[in-house]
């Protein structure tokens, strides 16, 4: 590839099940969700590679917080922050502009 910055995600595992459990007195549906995410990033100007992974799970009464989309959003936000993607992007741009001493 001829790119200076490449960022990719993969989802090795995920599932979402809806259950009605006898342990809930009122018969409230329960959601059991799990997702694992991996982040890989390469910054050519810095010659730096970042590889991180995380997972999220939810087992409780039916709620939008327990949906796979919410879990994926939370996990990707965490990975972006932990990888310091904004800072690395800023540094890469500065190097390309020649603003680095």
């Amino acid at each position: 590839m001829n790119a200076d910055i490449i960022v990719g995600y993969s989802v090795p595992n995920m599932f979402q099940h809806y259950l009605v459990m006898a342990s809930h007195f009122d018969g409230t549906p329960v959601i059991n969700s799990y997702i694992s995410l991996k982040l890989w990033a390469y910054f050519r100007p810095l010659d730096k590679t970042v590889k991180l992974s995380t997972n999220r799970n939810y087992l409780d009464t039916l709620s939008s917080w327990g949906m796979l989309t919410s879990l994926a959003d939370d996990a990707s936000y965490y990975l972006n922050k932990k990888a310091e993607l904004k800072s690395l992007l800023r540094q890469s741009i500065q190097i390309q502009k020649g603003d680095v001493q």
Side-chain angles (χ1 to χ4, degrees):
M1 295 187 95
N2 201 18
D4 290 326
I5 300 167
I6 301 168
V7 178
Y9 294 90
S10 65
V11 182
N13 297 300
M14 69 176 179
F15 67 81
Q16 184 167 289
H17 302 285
Y18 298 94
L19 312 164
V20 177
M21 299 178 68
S23 62
H24 281 257
F25 297 113
D26 60 358
T28 306
V30 172
I31 185 170
N32 182 12
S33 304
Y34 174 86
I35 191 165
S36 62
L37 284 180
K38 290 185 178 184
L39 172 134
W40 180 88
Y42 176 69
F43 298 85
R44 185 186 310 217
L46 302 170
D47 193 27
K48 181 173 177 123
T49 302
V50 177
K51 295 179 185 179
L52 297 169
S53 62
T54 191
N55 61 60
R56 297 289 183 274
N57 61 330
Y58 181 90
L59 176 60
D60 206 342
T61 55
L62 191 56
S63 167
S64 62
W65 292 100
M67 303 297 283
L68 282 175
T69 52
S70 293
L71 297 179
D73 185 47
D74 182 60
S76 62
Y77 178 81
Y78 168 79
L79 288 175
N80 290 345
K81 200 141 180 85
K82 184 166 182 163
E84 299 176 340
L85 291 182
K86 284 184 180 180
S87 173
L88 291 171
L89 179 58
R90 232 179 268 116
Q91 291 174 39
S92 296
I93 292 169
Q94 286 176 338
I95 287 172
Q96 287 181 336
K97 288 181 175 179
D99 293 344
V100 176
Q101 277 95 36

